[in-house]
Coordinates of all heavy atoms in Angstrom, one line a residue:
P17 N -18.0 9.8 1.6 CA -18.7 9.4 0.4 C -18.7 10.4 -0.7 O -18.7 10.1 -1.9 CB -20.2 9.1 0.9 CG -20.1 9.1 2.4 CD -18.9 9.8 2.8
I18 N -18.8 11.7 -0.4 CA -18.8 12.7 -1.4 C -17.4 12.8 -2.1 O -17.3 13.0 -3.3 CB -19.2 14.1 -0.8 CG1 -20.6 14.0 -0.3 CG2 -19.0 15.2 -1.8 CD1 -21.1 15.2 0.4
A19 N -16.3 12.6 -1.3 CA -15.0 12.6 -1.9 C -14.8 11.5 -2.9 O -14.2 11.6 -3.9 CB -14.0 12.5 -0.8
I20 N -15.5 10.3 -2.7 CA -15.4 9.2 -3.6 C -16.1 9.6 -4.9 O -15.6 9.3 -6.0 CB -16.0 8.0 -3.0 CG1 -15.1 7.5 -1.9 CG2 -16.1 6.9 -4.1 CD1 -15.7 6.3 -1.1
L21 N -17.2 10.3 -4.8 CA -17.9 10.7 -6.0 C -17.2 11.7 -6.8 O -17.2 11.8 -8.0 CB -19.3 11.2 -5.6 CG -20.3 10.1 -5.1 CD1 -21.6 10.8 -4.6 CD2 -20.5 9.0 -6.0
R22 N -16.5 12.6 -6.0 CA -15.7 13.7 -6.7 C -14.5 13.1 -7.4 O -14.2 13.6 -8.5 CB -15.3 14.6 -5.6 CG -14.9 16.0 -6.1 CD -14.6 17.0 -5.1 NE -15.4 16.8 -3.9 CZ -15.0 17.1 -2.6 NH1 -13.8 17.5 -2.4 NH2 -15.8 16.9 -1.6
N23 N -13.9 12.0 -6.9 CA -12.8 11.4 -7.5 C -13.1 10.0 -8.0 O -12.5 9.0 -7.7 CB -11.6 11.3 -6.5 CG -11.2 12.6 -6.0 OD1 -11.0 13.6 -6.8 ND2 -11.0 12.8 -4.7
W24 N -14.2 9.9 -8.7 CA -14.7 8.6 -9.1 C -13.8 7.8 -10.0 O -13.7 6.6 -9.9 CB -16.1 8.8 -9.9 CG -15.9 9.5 -11.2 CD1 -16.0 10.8 -11.4 CD2 -15.6 8.8 -12.4 NE1 -15.8 11.1 -12.7 CE2 -15.6 9.9 -13.4 CE3 -15.5 7.5 -12.8 CZ2 -15.3 9.6 -14.7 CZ3 -15.2 7.3 -14.2 CH2 -15.1 8.3 -15.1
S25 N -12.9 8.5 -10.7 CA -12.0 7.8 -11.6 C -10.9 7.0 -10.8 O -10.6 5.9 -11.1 CB -11.3 8.7 -12.6 OG -10.6 9.7 -11.9
F26 N -10.5 7.7 -9.7 CA -9.5 7.0 -8.8 C -10.1 5.9 -8.1 O -9.5 4.8 -7.9 CB -8.9 8.0 -7.9 CG -8.1 9.1 -8.5 CD1 -8.5 10.4 -8.5 CD2 -6.9 8.8 -9.2 CE1 -7.8 11.4 -9.1 CE2 -6.2 9.8 -9.9 CZ -6.6 11.1 -9.8
A27 N -11.4 6.0 -7.6 CA -12.1 5.0 -6.9 C -12.3 3.8 -7.9 O -12.2 2.6 -7.5 CB -13.4 5.5 -6.4
L28 N -12.7 4.1 -9.1 CA -12.9 3.0 -10.1 C -11.6 2.2 -10.4 O -11.6 1.0 -10.4 CB -13.5 3.5 -11.4 CG -13.8 2.5 -12.4 CD1 -14.9 1.6 -12.0 CD2 -14.2 3.2 -13.7
F29 N -10.5 3.0 -10.5 CA -9.2 2.4 -10.8 C -8.8 1.5 -9.6 O -8.3 0.4 -9.8 CB -8.1 3.4 -11.0 CG -6.8 2.9 -11.2 CD1 -6.4 2.3 -12.4 CD2 -5.8 2.9 -10.2 CE1 -5.2 1.7 -12.6 CE2 -4.6 2.4 -10.4 CZ -4.2 1.8 -11.6
Y30 N -9.0 2.0 -8.4 CA -8.6 1.2 -7.2 C -9.5 -0.1 -7.1 O -8.9 -1.2 -6.9 CB -8.9 2.0 -5.9 CG -8.6 1.2 -4.7 CD1 -7.3 1.0 -4.2 CD2 -9.7 0.7 -3.9 CE1 -7.1 0.3 -3.1 CE2 -9.4 0.0 -2.8 CZ -8.1 -0.2 -2.3 OH -7.9 -0.9 -1.2
M31 N -10.8 0.0 -7.4 CA -11.6 -1.2 -7.3 C -11.2 -2.2 -8.4 O -11.2 -3.4 -8.1 CB -13.1 -0.7 -7.6 CG -14.1 -1.8 -7.4 SD -15.8 -1.2 -7.5 CE -15.9 -0.8 -9.2
M32 N -10.9 -1.7 -9.6 CA -10.5 -2.7 -10.7 C -9.2 -3.3 -10.4 O -9.0 -4.5 -10.7 CB -10.5 -1.9 -12.0 CG -11.9 -1.4 -12.5 SD -13.2 -2.7 -12.5 CE -12.7 -3.6 -13.8
A33 N -8.3 -2.5 -9.8 CA -7.0 -3.1 -9.4 C -7.1 -4.2 -8.4 O -6.4 -5.2 -8.4 CB -6.0 -2.0 -8.9
E34 N -8.0 -4.0 -7.4 CA -8.2 -5.0 -6.4 C -8.9 -6.3 -6.9 O -8.6 -7.4 -6.5 CB -9.1 -4.4 -5.2 CG -8.4 -3.4 -4.4 CD -7.2 -4.0 -3.6 OE1 -7.4 -5.1 -3.1 OE2 -6.2 -3.4 -3.5
L35 N -9.8 -6.1 -7.9 CA -10.5 -7.3 -8.5 C -9.6 -8.0 -9.5 O -9.9 -9.2 -9.8 CB -11.8 -6.8 -9.1 CG -12.9 -6.3 -8.2 CD1 -14.0 -5.8 -9.0 CD2 -13.3 -7.5 -7.3
W36 N -8.6 -7.4 -10.0 CA -7.9 -8.0 -11.1 C -7.3 -9.3 -10.8 O -7.4 -10.3 -11.6 CB -6.8 -7.0 -11.6 CG -5.9 -7.5 -12.7 CD1 -4.7 -7.9 -12.6 CD2 -6.4 -7.7 -14.0 NE1 -4.2 -8.3 -13.9 CE2 -5.3 -8.2 -14.8 CE3 -7.6 -7.4 -14.7 CZ2 -5.3 -8.5 -16.1 CZ3 -7.6 -7.7 -16.1 CH2 -6.5 -8.2 -16.7
G37 N -6.7 -9.5 -9.6 CA -6.1 -10.8 -9.2 C -7.1 -11.9 -9.1 O -6.8 -13.0 -9.6
S38 N -8.2 -11.6 -8.5 CA -9.2 -12.6 -8.4 C -9.8 -13.1 -9.8 O -10.0 -14.2 -10.0 CB -10.4 -12.1 -7.6 OG -9.9 -11.8 -6.3
V39 N -10.0 -12.1 -10.6 CA -10.5 -12.4 -12.0 C -9.5 -13.2 -12.8 O -9.9 -14.2 -13.4 CB -10.9 -11.1 -12.7 CG1 -11.2 -11.3 -14.2 CG2 -12.1 -10.4 -12.0
V40 N -8.3 -12.9 -12.7 CA -7.3 -13.6 -13.5 C -7.1 -15.0 -13.0 O -7.1 -16.0 -13.8 CB -5.9 -12.9 -13.4 CG1 -4.8 -13.7 -14.0 CG2 -6.0 -11.6 -14.2
V41 N -7.1 -15.2 -11.7 CA -7.0 -16.6 -11.2 C -8.2 -17.4 -11.6 O -8.1 -18.6 -11.9 CB -6.8 -16.6 -9.6 CG1 -7.0 -17.9 -9.0 CG2 -5.4 -16.0 -9.3
S42 N -9.4 -16.8 -11.5 CA -10.6 -17.5 -11.9 C -10.6 -17.9 -13.4 O -10.9 -19.0 -13.7 CB -11.8 -16.6 -11.6 OG -13.0 -17.3 -11.9
V43 N -10.2 -17.0 -14.2 CA -10.2 -17.2 -15.6 C -9.2 -18.3 -16.0 O -9.4 -19.2 -16.8 CB -9.9 -16.0 -16.4 CG1 -9.5 -16.2 -17.9 CG2 -11.1 -15.0 -16.4
L44 N -8.0 -18.3 -15.3 CA -7.0 -19.3 -15.5 C -7.5 -20.7 -15.1 O -7.3 -21.7 -15.8 CB -5.7 -18.9 -14.8 CG -4.9 -17.8 -15.5 CD1 -3.7 -17.4 -14.6 CD2 -4.4 -18.2 -16.8
F45 N -8.1 -20.7 -13.9 CA -8.6 -22.0 -13.4 C -9.7 -22.6 -14.4 O -9.6 -23.8 -14.7 CB -9.2 -21.8 -12.0 CG -10.0 -23.1 -11.6 CD1 -9.3 -24.2 -11.2 CD2 -11.4 -23.1 -11.6 CE1 -9.9 -25.3 -10.7 CE2 -12.0 -24.3 -11.2 CZ -11.3 -25.4 -10.8
W46 N -10.7 -21.8 -14.8 CA -11.7 -22.3 -15.6 C -11.2 -22.6 -17.0 O -11.6 -23.6 -17.7 CB -12.9 -21.4 -15.7 CG -13.7 -21.4 -14.4 CD1 -13.7 -20.4 -13.5 CD2 -14.4 -22.5 -13.9 NE1 -14.5 -20.8 -12.5 CE2 -14.9 -22.0 -12.7 CE3 -14.7 -23.8 -14.3 CZ2 -15.7 -22.9 -11.8 CZ3 -15.5 -24.6 -13.5 CH2 -16.0 -24.1 -12.3
G47 N -10.2 -21.9 -17.5 CA -9.6 -22.2 -18.8 C -8.8 -23.6 -18.7 O -8.9 -24.4 -19.7
L48 N -8.1 -23.8 -17.6 CA -7.4 -25.1 -17.5 C -8.4 -26.2 -17.4 O -8.3 -27.3 -18.0 CB -6.5 -25.1 -16.3 CG -5.9 -26.4 -15.9 CD1 -4.8 -26.7 -17.0 CD2 -5.2 -26.3 -14.5
S49 N -9.5 -26.0 -16.6 CA -10.4 -27.1 -16.4 C -11.2 -27.4 -17.7 O -11.5 -28.5 -18.0 CB -11.4 -26.9 -15.3 OG -12.0 -25.6 -15.4
N50 N -11.5 -26.4 -18.5 CA -12.1 -26.6 -19.8 C -11.2 -27.3 -20.8 O -11.7 -28.1 -21.6 CB -12.5 -25.2 -20.5 CG -13.7 -24.7 -19.9 OD1 -14.6 -25.4 -19.3 ND2 -13.9 -23.4 -19.9
R51 N -9.9 -27.1 -20.6 CA -8.9 -27.8 -21.5 C -8.8 -29.2 -21.2 O -8.6 -30.1 -22.1 CB -7.6 -27.0 -21.4 CG -6.6 -27.4 -22.5 CD -5.5 -26.4 -22.3 NE -4.6 -26.3 -23.4 CZ -4.9 -25.8 -24.6 NH1 -6.1 -25.4 -24.9 NH2 -4.0 -25.7 -25.6
I52 N -8.8 -29.6 -19.9 CA -8.5 -31.0 -19.6 C -9.7 -31.9 -19.3 O -9.5 -33.1 -19.2 CB -7.6 -31.0 -18.3 CG1 -8.3 -30.5 -17.1 CG2 -6.3 -30.3 -18.5 CD1 -7.6 -30.6 -15.8
M53 N -10.9 -31.3 -19.3 CA -12.1 -32.1 -19.1 C -12.9 -32.3 -20.3 O -13.0 -31.4 -21.2 CB -13.0 -31.5 -18.0 CG -12.4 -31.6 -16.6 SD -13.6 -31.2 -15.4 CE -12.7 -31.4 -14.0
T54 N -13.6 -33.4 -20.4 CA -14.5 -33.6 -21.5 C -15.9 -33.0 -21.1 O -16.0 -32.6 -19.9 CB -14.8 -35.1 -21.8 OG1 -15.3 -35.7 -20.6 CG2 -13.4 -35.8 -22.1
L55 N -16.8 -32.9 -22.0 CA -18.1 -32.3 -21.7 C -18.8 -33.1 -20.7 O -19.5 -32.6 -19.8 CB -18.9 -32.2 -23.0 CG -20.3 -31.6 -22.9 CD1 -20.2 -30.1 -22.4 CD2 -21.0 -31.6 -24.2
R56 N -18.7 -34.4 -20.7 CA -19.4 -35.3 -19.8 C -18.8 -35.1 -18.4 O -19.5 -35.0 -17.4 CB -19.2 -36.7 -20.2 CG -19.9 -37.7 -19.3 CD -19.7 -39.1 -19.9 NE -20.9 -39.9 -19.6 CZ -21.0 -41.1 -20.0 NH1 -20.1 -41.7 -20.7 NH2 -22.1 -41.8 -19.7
E57 N -17.5 -35.0 -18.3 CA -16.9 -34.7 -17.0 C -17.2 -33.4 -16.4 O -17.4 -33.2 -15.2 CB -15.3 -34.9 -17.1 CG -14.9 -36.3 -17.3 CD -13.4 -36.3 -17.6 OE1 -12.8 -35.3 -18.1 OE2 -12.8 -37.4 -17.4
A58 N -17.3 -32.4 -17.3 CA -17.6 -31.0 -16.9 C -19.0 -31.0 -16.3 O -19.2 -30.3 -15.3 CB -17.5 -30.1 -18.1
K59 N -20.0 -31.6 -16.9 CA -21.3 -31.6 -16.4 C -21.4 -32.2 -15.0 O -22.2 -31.9 -14.2 CB -22.2 -32.4 -17.3 CG -22.6 -31.7 -18.6 CD -23.5 -32.5 -19.4 CE -23.8 -31.8 -20.7 NZ -24.7 -32.5 -21.6
R60 N -20.4 -33.1 -14.7 CA -20.4 -33.8 -13.5 C -19.7 -33.0 -12.4 O -20.1 -33.0 -11.2 CB -19.8 -35.2 -13.6 CG -19.7 -36.0 -12.4 CD -19.1 -37.3 -12.7 NE -19.7 -38.3 -11.9 CZ -19.4 -39.6 -12.0 NH1 -18.5 -40.0 -12.9 NH2 -19.9 -40.5 -11.2
Y61 N -18.5 -32.4 -12.8 CA -17.7 -31.8 -11.7 C -17.8 -30.3 -11.6 O -17.4 -29.8 -10.5 CB -16.2 -32.2 -12.0 CG -15.9 -33.7 -11.9 CD1 -15.6 -34.5 -13.0 CD2 -16.0 -34.3 -10.6 CE1 -15.3 -35.8 -12.8 CE2 -15.8 -35.6 -10.5 CZ -15.4 -36.4 -11.6 OH -15.2 -37.7 -11.4
Y62 N -18.2 -29.6 -12.5 CA -18.3 -28.1 -12.4 C -19.2 -27.7 -11.3 O -18.8 -26.8 -10.5 CB -18.7 -27.5 -13.7 CG -17.6 -27.4 -14.7 CD1 -16.4 -28.0 -14.6 CD2 -17.8 -26.6 -15.9 CE1 -15.4 -27.9 -15.5 CE2 -16.8 -26.5 -16.8 CZ -15.6 -27.2 -16.6 OH -14.6 -27.1 -17.6
P63 N -20.3 -28.3 -11.0 CA -21.1 -27.9 -9.9 C -20.4 -28.1 -8.5 O -20.5 -27.3 -7.6 CB -22.4 -28.8 -9.9 CG -22.5 -29.1 -11.3 CD -21.1 -29.2 -11.9
L64 N -19.6 -29.2 -8.5 CA -18.8 -29.5 -7.3 C -17.7 -28.4 -7.1 O -17.4 -28.0 -6.0 CB -18.1 -30.8 -7.4 CG -19.1 -32.0 -7.3 CD1 -18.4 -33.3 -7.5 CD2 -19.9 -32.0 -6.0
F65 N -17.1 -28.0 -8.2 CA -16.1 -26.9 -8.1 C -16.7 -25.6 -7.6 O -16.2 -24.9 -6.7 CB -15.5 -26.6 -9.5 CG -14.6 -27.7 -10.0 CD1 -14.3 -27.8 -11.3 CD2 -14.0 -28.6 -9.2 CE1 -13.5 -28.7 -11.9 CE2 -13.2 -29.6 -9.7 CZ -13.0 -29.7 -11.0
G66 N -17.9 -25.3 -8.1 CA -18.6 -24.1 -7.6 C -19.0 -24.2 -6.1 O -18.8 -23.2 -5.4
L67 N -19.5 -25.3 -5.7 CA -19.8 -25.6 -4.3 C -18.6 -25.5 -3.4 O -18.6 -24.8 -2.4 CB -20.5 -26.9 -4.2 CG -21.0 -27.3 -2.8 CD1 -22.1 -26.4 -2.3 CD2 -21.4 -28.7 -2.8
G68 N -17.5 -26.1 -3.9 CA -16.3 -26.0 -3.1 C -15.8 -24.6 -3.0 O -15.2 -24.2 -1.9
A69 N -15.9 -23.8 -4.0 CA -15.4 -22.4 -4.0 C -16.3 -21.6 -3.0 O -15.7 -20.8 -2.2 CB -15.5 -21.8 -5.3
N70 N -17.6 -21.8 -2.9 CA -18.4 -21.1 -2.0 C -18.2 -21.6 -0.5 O -18.2 -20.7 0.4 CB -19.9 -21.3 -2.3 CG -20.3 -20.5 -3.6 OD1 -19.7 -19.5 -3.8 ND2 -21.2 -21.1 -4.4
I71 N -17.9 -22.8 -0.3 CA -17.6 -23.3 1.0 C -16.3 -22.8 1.5 O -16.1 -22.5 2.6 CB -17.7 -24.9 1.0 CG1 -19.2 -25.3 0.9 CG2 -17.2 -25.4 2.3 CD1 -19.5 -26.7 0.8
A72 N -15.3 -22.8 0.6 CA -14.0 -22.3 0.9 C -14.0 -20.8 1.4 O -13.3 -20.5 2.3 CB -13.0 -22.4 -0.3
V73 N -14.9 -20.0 0.8 CA -15.0 -18.6 1.3 C -15.5 -18.6 2.7 O -15.0 -17.8 3.5 CB -15.9 -17.8 0.3 CG1 -16.3 -16.5 0.9 CG2 -15.3 -17.7 -1.1
I74 N -16.4 -19.4 3.0 CA -16.9 -19.4 4.4 C -15.9 -19.9 5.4 O -15.7 -19.2 6.4 CB -18.1 -20.4 4.5 CG1 -19.3 -19.9 3.7 CG2 -18.6 -20.6 5.9 CD1 -20.4 -20.8 3.4
F75 N -15.1 -20.9 5.1 CA -14.1 -21.4 6.0 C -12.8 -20.7 6.0 O -12.1 -20.8 7.0 CB -13.9 -22.9 5.8 CG -15.0 -23.8 6.2 CD1 -15.7 -24.5 5.2 CD2 -15.4 -23.9 7.5 CE1 -16.8 -25.3 5.6 CE2 -16.4 -24.7 7.9 CZ -17.1 -25.4 6.9
S76 N -12.6 -19.9 5.0 CA -11.3 -19.2 5.0 C -11.3 -18.1 6.1 O -10.3 -17.8 6.7 CB -11.0 -18.6 3.6 OG -12.0 -17.6 3.3
G77 N -12.4 -17.5 6.3 CA -12.5 -16.5 7.4 C -12.2 -17.1 8.7 O -11.5 -16.5 9.6
Q78 N -12.8 -18.3 9.0 CA -12.5 -18.9 10.2 C -11.1 -19.3 10.4 O -10.5 -19.3 11.5 CB -13.4 -20.2 10.3 CG -14.9 -19.9 10.3 CD -15.3 -19.0 11.5 OE1 -14.8 -19.2 12.6 NE2 -16.2 -18.1 11.2
Y79 N -10.5 -19.8 9.3 CA -9.1 -20.2 9.3 C -8.2 -19.0 9.6 O -7.2 -19.1 10.4 CB -8.7 -20.8 8.0 CG -7.2 -21.2 7.9 CD1 -6.7 -22.3 8.6 CD2 -6.3 -20.4 7.1 CE1 -5.4 -22.6 8.5 CE2 -5.0 -20.7 7.1 CZ -4.5 -21.8 7.8 OH -3.2 -22.1 7.7
V80 N -8.4 -17.9 9.0 CA -7.6 -16.7 9.2 C -7.7 -16.2 10.7 O -6.7 -15.9 11.3 CB -8.0 -15.5 8.3 CG1 -7.4 -14.2 8.7 CG2 -7.7 -15.9 6.9
R81 N -8.9 -16.3 11.2 CA -9.1 -16.0 12.7 C -8.3 -16.9 13.6 O -7.7 -16.5 14.5 CB -10.6 -16.0 13.0 CG -10.8 -15.5 14.4 CD -12.2 -15.2 14.7 NE -13.1 -16.3 14.5 CZ -14.3 -16.4 14.9 NH1 -14.8 -15.5 15.6 NH2 -15.0 -17.5 14.6
L82 N -8.4 -18.2 13.2 CA -7.6 -19.2 14.0 C -6.1 -19.0 14.0 O -5.4 -19.0 15.0 CB -7.9 -20.6 13.5 CG -7.1 -21.8 14.1 CD1 -7.5 -22.0 15.6 CD2 -7.2 -23.0 13.3
V83 N -5.6 -18.7 12.8 CA -4.2 -18.5 12.7 C -3.8 -17.2 13.4 O -2.7 -17.1 14.0 CB -3.8 -18.5 11.2 CG1 -2.3 -18.0 11.0 CG2 -3.9 -19.8 10.5
S84 N -4.6 -16.2 13.3 CA -4.3 -14.9 14.0 C -4.3 -15.1 15.5 O -3.4 -14.6 16.2 CB -5.3 -13.9 13.7 OG -5.3 -13.6 12.3
L85 N -5.2 -15.9 16.0 CA -5.2 -16.2 17.5 C -3.9 -17.0 17.9 O -3.3 -16.7 18.9 CB -6.4 -17.0 17.9 CG -7.7 -16.2 17.9 CD1 -8.9 -17.1 18.2 CD2 -7.7 -15.1 18.9
L86 N -3.5 -18.0 17.0 CA -2.3 -18.8 17.3 C -1.1 -17.9 17.3 O -0.2 -18.1 18.1 CB -2.2 -19.9 16.4 CG -3.3 -21.0 16.5 CD1 -3.1 -22.1 15.5 CD2 -3.2 -21.7 17.9
R87 N -1.0 -17.0 16.3 CA 0.1 -16.1 16.2 C 0.3 -15.2 17.4 O 1.4 -14.8 17.8 CB 0.0 -15.3 14.9 CG 0.5 -16.0 13.7 CD 0.4 -15.2 12.5 NE 1.2 -14.0 12.6 CZ 1.2 -13.0 11.7 NH1 0.5 -13.1 10.6 NH2 2.0 -12.0 11.8
S88 N -0.8 -14.7 17.9 CA -0.8 -13.8 19.1 C -0.3 -14.5 20.3 O 0.2 -13.8 21.2 CB -2.2 -13.2 19.3 OG -3.1 -14.2 19.8
K89 N -0.3 -15.8 20.4 CA 0.1 -16.6 21.6 C 1.5 -17.1 21.4 O 2.0 -17.9 22.3 CB -0.8 -17.7 21.8 CG -2.2 -17.2 22.2 CD -3.2 -18.4 22.4 CE -4.6 -17.9 22.7 NZ -5.5 -18.9 22.8
L90 N 2.3 -16.7 20.4 CA 3.6 -17.2 20.2 C 4.6 -16.7 21.2 O 4.4 -15.6 21.8 CB 4.1 -16.9 18.8 CG 3.5 -17.7 17.7 CD1 4.1 -17.2 16.3 CD2 3.9 -19.1 17.8
A91 N 5.6 -17.4 21.5 CA 6.7 -16.9 22.4 C 7.4 -15.7 21.8 O 7.4 -15.6 20.6 CB 7.6 -18.0 22.7
V92 N 8.0 -14.9 22.7 CA 8.7 -13.8 22.2 C 10.0 -14.3 21.4 O 10.7 -15.2 21.8 CB 9.2 -12.9 23.4 CG1 10.1 -11.8 22.9 CG2 8.0 -12.4 24.2
G93 N 10.2 -13.7 20.3 CA 11.3 -14.1 19.4 C 11.0 -15.1 18.4 O 11.8 -15.4 17.5
A94 N 9.8 -15.7 18.4 CA 9.3 -16.6 17.4 C 9.0 -15.9 16.1 O 8.6 -14.7 16.2 CB 8.1 -17.4 17.9
D95 N 9.1 -16.6 15.0 CA 8.8 -16.0 13.7 C 7.3 -16.1 13.4 O 6.9 -17.2 13.0 CB 9.6 -16.6 12.6 CG 9.4 -16.0 11.3 OD1 8.9 -14.9 11.2 OD2 9.7 -16.7 10.3
P96 N 6.5 -15.1 13.5 CA 5.1 -15.2 13.3 C 4.7 -15.5 11.8 O 3.8 -16.3 11.5 CB 4.4 -13.9 13.7 CG 5.6 -13.0 13.9 CD 6.8 -13.7 14.0
W97 N 5.5 -15.0 10.9 CA 5.2 -15.2 9.5 C 5.5 -16.7 9.1 O 4.8 -17.3 8.4 CB 6.0 -14.3 8.6 CG 5.5 -12.9 8.5 CD1 6.0 -11.8 9.1 CD2 4.3 -12.5 7.8 NE1 5.2 -10.7 8.8 CE2 4.2 -11.1 8.1 CE3 3.4 -13.2 7.1 CZ2 3.1 -10.4 7.6 CZ3 2.3 -12.4 6.6 CH2 2.2 -11.1 6.8
G98 N 6.6 -17.2 9.6 CA 7.0 -18.6 9.4 C 6.0 -19.5 10.0 O 5.6 -20.6 9.4
F99 N 5.4 -19.2 11.2 CA 4.4 -20.0 11.8 C 3.1 -20.0 11.0 O 2.5 -21.1 10.9 CB 4.2 -19.5 13.2 CG 3.1 -20.3 14.0 CD1 3.4 -21.5 14.5 CD2 1.8 -19.8 14.1 CE1 2.4 -22.2 15.2 CE2 0.9 -20.5 14.7 CZ 1.2 -21.7 15.3
S100 N 2.7 -18.9 10.5 CA 1.4 -18.9 9.8 C 1.5 -19.5 8.5 O 0.5 -19.9 7.9 CB 0.9 -17.4 9.7 OG 1.8 -16.6 9.0
L101 N 2.7 -19.5 7.9 CA 2.8 -20.2 6.6 C 2.8 -21.7 6.8 O 2.3 -22.4 6.0 CB 4.1 -19.8 5.9 CG 4.1 -18.3 5.4 CD1 5.5 -18.0 4.8 CD2 3.0 -18.0 4.4

C-alpha cells in the first residue's frame, strides 16, 4: 500500500487506463440510444436498460465460471479458446 502512495501517478494512470474502455462503450451506447429514441420512448426504456445492465453484471460472473469449468473438462488437443467463444 505504501508503494502505491509513493507512485500515485502510475497508479492513477493504470486505473484510468483500465476504466477507459468501459467508459467509452457506455458513452457510445447512451449516445446511440439518445439519437434513435424519442423522449417518450426514453422514459419508458431507459430504466429497463439500467436494470438489464445491473442484472448482466450478476450473471456474467456465473457465466465465466461455467465456461471455465467446461474448458477444464475438454479432451486433450481440443481448442479451449474456440470452445469458449
Side-chain angles (χ1 to χ4, degrees):
I18 294 175
I20 292 174
L21 295 176
R22 201 174 323 146
N23 299 315
W24 67 270
S25 59
F26 296 116
L28 181 65
F29 178 75
Y30 177 78
M31 187 175 66
M32 296 307 288
E34 288 294 318
L35 290 174
W36 180 250
S38 299
V39 170
V40 168
V41 168
S42 178
V43 167
L44 287 174
F45 170 75
W46 288 111
L48 175 68
S49 52
N50 282 335
R51 191 172 199 67
I52 64 173
M53 288 193 181
T54 64
L55 182 61
R56 185 179 212 178
E57 291 172 334
K59 287 181 181 178
R60 182 180 213 174
Y61 293 116
Y62 282 10
L64 293 175
F65 292 159
L67 181 65
N70 287 327
I71 290 174
V73 169
I74 294 169
F75 287 115
S76 65
Q78 299 297 323
Y79 177 75
V80 168
R81 186 168 54 165
L82 172 71
V83 171
S84 296
L85 288 174
L86 291 175
R87 280 180 58 183
S88 66
K89 295 178 183 177
L90 287 176
V92 176
D95 181 22
W97 283 107
F99 178 76
S100 62
L101 292 177

